[in-house]
Amino acid sequence: SRLRRLGMMLSSSCCRSPLALIDVKGFDPKDVTVVMKDGKVTVSAERKEELNTCMGRTSSYRKYMKEFSLPPGCCEKEVTYSV
């Protein structure tokens, strides 16, 4: 399996600098979910891989979650993210 280094950046029009830079290494963009609720941002990713080899079946499971609060004055509607 090939690991790629993906970075996710969260920004807002009310703040000049990025709100967060998150390293989601090893996950495809489709595996990453961002949820904003009650002034908090939750970034999660989940991936399960199963391989059949000549020695049997192997599987790996990875899960990532990070939650943080938006700074005062930031509106959830103004927050954007990109991978």
Side-chain angles (χ1 to χ4, degrees):
S1 136
R2 189 180 80 200
L3 293 180
R4 292 186 290 167
R5 182 169 294 278
L6 291 176
M8 172 176 277
M9 182 169 66
L10 286 111
S11 302
S12 174
S13 61
C14 67
C15 302
R16 293 185 181 188
S17 60
L19 297 175
L21 297 171
I22 301 166
D23 184 7
V24 285
K25 176 177 78 174
F27 294 98
D28 287 335
K30 65 180 178 168
D31 297 332
V32 180
T33 304
V34 178
V35 176
M36 287 179 274
K37 185 177 178 184
D38 299 329
K40 292 188 179 189
V41 178
T42 304
V43 178
S44 60
E46 193 170 0
R47 182 172 187 134
K48 183 176 181 179
E49 295 178 0
E50 292 184 1
L51 298 171
N52 291 320
T53 65
C54 60
M55 298 185 68
R57 185 180 214 178
T58 62
S59 63
S60 68
Y61 178 78
R62 287 181 274 165
K63 187 173 182 176
Y64 171 86
M65 188 172 87
K66 181 170 182 134
E67 182 179 88
F68 57 93
S69 297
L70 291 173
C74 272
C75 176
E76 291 179 7
K77 295 177 184 176
E78 297 175 348
V79 176
T80 60
Y81 62 91
S82 59
V83 177

